[in-house]
Amino acid sequence: MSRAKSPAQRTGNPNGAAAPEAAPVVHEGRAPRVPAHLKAQGREVWRAVWQAGGGAYSPETDRNVILRYAELHDRRAELLALIDAEGLSVVGSTGQPAIHPAMKFVESTERELRAIENAIGFTPEARMRLGIVAAEVRRVAASPADF
């Protein structure tokens, strides 16, 4: 027989999960200018990432990662436009229907995008992980004598 636990025996947070702490602000200035070579999708992503970061990204150290992310979005948009224009299926070398060969590049581009999204905190798990890391950085900064 199972019995319900008394309030004294229950474990966990009775008020729900604790909210993750925000990442530390590392940059308070304006976002870097949109690189001229980015196309429409990349420009939109560039602006959105810097805005969403809320100062958590440094133009000196994070610029290239965010640039790569925006460029990959441009590549994905071009590939999808090509597939949309030519059709998802094409005629294969022996006359059989086949998936458009550009789909292979869409899939590899999306894998790269997911990896960057995890690195810059654009997934719930990554935000939680980065929040935990940010809390540890603040703790160490507050008491460096502990180390």
Side-chain angles (χ1 to χ4, degrees), residues 26 29-30 40-42 47 66 68 79 84 89 93 97 108 113 125 129 137 140:
V26 295
R30 294 183 58 167
Q41 185 68 36
R47 289 183 187 110
I66 295 169
R68 179 75 174 139
L79 289 166
D84 191 45
S89 57
S93 61
S108 66
L113 285 167
E125 180 183 354
R129 184 183 70 248
V137 167
V140 170

Side-chain angles (χ1 to χ4, degrees), residues 17-144:
E21 295 186 47
V25 173
V26 295
H27 176 70
E28 293 183 351
R30 294 183 58 167
R33 186 179 307 257
V34 176
H37 73 280
L38 290 177
K39 296 175 179 67
Q41 185 68 36
R43 289 174 160 296
E44 184 179 320
V45 166
W46 176 269
R47 289 183 187 110
V49 169
W50 286 102
Q51 181 179 1
Y57 305 125
S58 166
E60 291 81 30
T61 59
D62 301 325
R63 178 184 183 84
N64 290 331
V65 173
I66 295 169
L67 177 60
R68 179 75 174 139
Y69 187 66
E71 290 169 340
L72 285 167
H73 272 281
D74 273 343
R75 179 196 304 171
R76 181 179 180 276
E78 288 179 16
L79 289 166
L80 291 175
L82 174 68
I83 292 166
D84 191 45
E86 296 180 2
L88 181 59
S89 57
V90 296
V91 177
S93 61
T94 61
Q96 82 284 9
I99 297 295
H100 196 294
M103 278 304 295
K104 174 177 69 171
F105 298 110
V106 170
E107 291 168 358
S108 66
T109 299
E110 288 176 346
R111 273 193 301 276
E112 291 180 60
L113 285 167
R114 282 190 297 274
I116 293 173
E117 288 164 357
N118 280 316
I120 63 177
F122 274 24
T123 66
E125 180 183 354
R127 281 191 299 274
M128 185 174 74
R129 184 183 70 248
L130 291 173
I132 291 168
V133 169
E136 183 64 16
V137 167
R138 280 192 291 277
R139 186 187 68 74
V140 170
S143 58

Side-chain angles (χ1 to χ4, degrees), residues 12-20 128:
N13 184 346
N15 297 323
M128 185 174 74

